[in-house]
Amino acid sequence: MAETLTPDICVIGAGSGGLSVAAAAAAFGVSTVLIEEHKMGGDCLNTGCVPSKALLAAAKRAALMHDSAAFGITAGNVSIDFAKVHAHVHNVIASIAPVDSAERFTGLGVRVIKGHARFRDRRTVVVGDQYAIRARRFVVATGSTAGVPPIPGIDTGPYLTNETIFNLTTLPRHLVVIGAGPIGLEMAQGFRRLGSAVTVLEAAQPLAKDDPECAAVVLDQLERDGVVIRSGVKVAGVAHAGGNVSVTIAGETGEETIEGSHLLVAAGRKPNVDGLDLDAAGVRYDRGGIFVNKKLKTANRRVYAIGDVAAKQLQFTHAANYHAGLVIRNALFRLPVKVNKDAIPWVTYTEPELAQTGLTEAQARERRYPVRILRWPFHDNDRAQAERETHGHIKVVTDSRGTILGATIVGAQAGEMITAWTLAIAQKMNIRAFTGIVIPYPTLSEIGKRAAIDFFTPSLTRPLLRRIIAWLRIFG
Ligand SMILES: Cc1cc2nc3c(=O)[nH]c(=O)nc-3n(C[C@H](O)[C@H](O)[C@H](O)COP(=O)(O)OP(=O)(O)OC[C@H]3O[C@@H](n4cnc5c(N)ncnc54)[C@H](O)[C@@H]3O)c2cc1C
């Protein structure tokens, strides 16, 4: 007979979102059950952020060794042992895994259950015939998996997704990537820099969710690295033969076949809603995920959905963590909460990095703001010159009064530098704040101050103001 548990909170899925809810609930002394059917840590730790960034770190080392001659340093013959790159990636996962482990969460006071969870009715979740959990609140945090488009022939042989690519122990000779979003392009640059030939196929625009002007800087670097990017092409068919793969694409000039050794599908994500029996719980959903309101509540008021499985939300680890914080405030303390997607930054970890926070220029114009655009290039920054990292720029979007609406940074350390702008947007700050701030010299962050000073340039009619700006330009 099934054991019946009656916790305050039952969390389904021990990935970025679910672990954050469980850890916070346990810290407040709330009885919590956490159910995971696969690996603790979910996508981010096992098949997403962590292995991808570890692989990119190896690829960056390889690129640095090839490109250091301008610094007066040559590394001789650079050799890449891909089996050791694989070991490095898995060592990084292993070093982080204890933080997400069942043992740690049990120690925090969470009841961790291994198994597949599904709803039996509106207020009961079952795990096989072992457990029935009747909780006060449920949090569905089941994440997403790679969406595989219905391309003729794709299923007739092997293809890689984020779940399998990090298991490779030999370097692909020619990796064909379907999808030029952040995941596809990070992997494209990583494998190219480690020695694979790489061709990326994209039906629409690469990095379509990012500011096109800044995305172009990334695409330019990928092409310099030797990644072939074919955008505006439809993948018409896939054939597998002799361990290789032929991908037929249809573009403006007709059909063409690309021969590769491996195929990676990175063409979007599919929320994990199957097998949860959401209908039994009265939770509404479709292929895009579980429908949630601004509080992340589903159609069943006892049930929240967070992270990648929630429809129309940003699919990032920090977005899942942010959702978790909102759910804790609402479910435990009955505080009013409202999800704000504009406050969530994101980064594509190619080299150069591409970081976005707040509104892009296009979004600001769509919302009919009287937009001002401020830019400053990396090549006018002394630290960037010293590091030979002069590729890229900052682009800041403000309204006509200088309220900061958004910022995009493309260049070295963009992911680190975007935080100041995220804080500024969250605090509804004016661009003036960046003109007065003292920034250590020489740092890349100075580009933000330089862009900010530019806000005041066109309105310079008064001589004193003009002198102040000139002074700031020289000594600021
Ligand atoms: C290659 C790649 C690179 C990425 N890089 C980044 C990055 O650099 N930065 C970033 O912010 N984001 C990145 N992401 C996205 C990030 O991984 C996800 O947004 C994040 O993991 C979502 O967290 P989650 O909690 O919603 O789901 P997940 O982390 O996927 O966790 C869901 C968990 O639920 C479990 N589960 C599912 N169904 C059930 C069930 N019925 N019963 C029990 N358990 C169940 C699953 O096994 C899984 O462990 C990347 C993703 C990929 C694929």
Side-chain angles (χ1 to χ4, degrees), residues 12-18 35-39 41-44 47-49 52-53 115-118 141-144 162 166 183 186 269 272 275-276 306-309 315-318 320 347 349:
I12 307 175
S16 310
I35 310 164
E36 171 57 52
E37 66 179 354
H38 193 42
K39 287 187 180 172
D43 248 10
C44 184
T47 54
C49 331
S52 61
K53 266 77 263 180
H116 177 82
R118 65 176 181 83
T142 51
S144 64
N162 68 294
F166 303 111
I183 296 173
E186 285 182 5
R269 308 288 302 165
N272 292 330
L276 282 168
I306 64 168
D308 281 16
V309 78
Q315 293 182 312
F316 300 105
T317 282
H318 48 279
V347 181
Y349 294 89

Side-chain angles (χ1 to χ4, degrees), residues 326-345:
L326 296 180
V327 166
I328 288 291
R329 281 157 64 186
N330 191 249
L332 299 191
F333 303 110
R334 296 177 193 260
L335 292 170
V337 295
K338 196 171 159 190
V339 103
N340 176 10
K341 281 194 268 179
D342 292 349
I344 300 175

Side-chain angles (χ1 to χ4, degrees), residues 13-19 34 36 38-50 93 96-97 99-102 105 317:
S16 310
L19 288 174
L34 173 65
E36 171 57 52
H38 193 42
K39 287 187 180 172
M40 296 289 288
D43 248 10
C44 184
L45 173 64
N46 301 294
T47 54
C49 331
V50 173
I93 295 174
I96 299 174
V99 180
D100 291 355
S101 65
F105 275 77
T317 282

Side-chain angles (χ1 to χ4, degrees), residues 299-327:
N300 176 341
R301 63 180 187 84
R302 287 184 189 282
V303 182
Y304 294 85
I306 64 168
D308 281 16
V309 78
K312 297 188 179 158
Q313 302 297 321
L314 293 171
Q315 293 182 312
F316 300 105
T317 282
H318 48 279
N321 294 339
Y322 166 63
H323 291 171
L326 296 180
V327 166

Side-chain angles (χ1 to χ4, degrees), residues 19 35 62 116 134 147 185 200 221 246 257 272 294 310 318 330 358-359 368 372 405 408 416 422 447 460 462 466:
L19 288 174
I35 310 164
H116 177 82
R134 285 174 69 78
L185 292 187
V200 182
Q221 180 58 47
S246 309
T257 298
N272 292 330
K294 297 264 181 205
H318 48 279
N330 191 249
L359 304 182
R368 303 201 177 280
R372 283 278 310 271
L405 303 173
T408 315
E416 302 294 335
T422 306
I447 59 164
L460 290 184
R462 281 178 292 163
R466 220 179 302 139

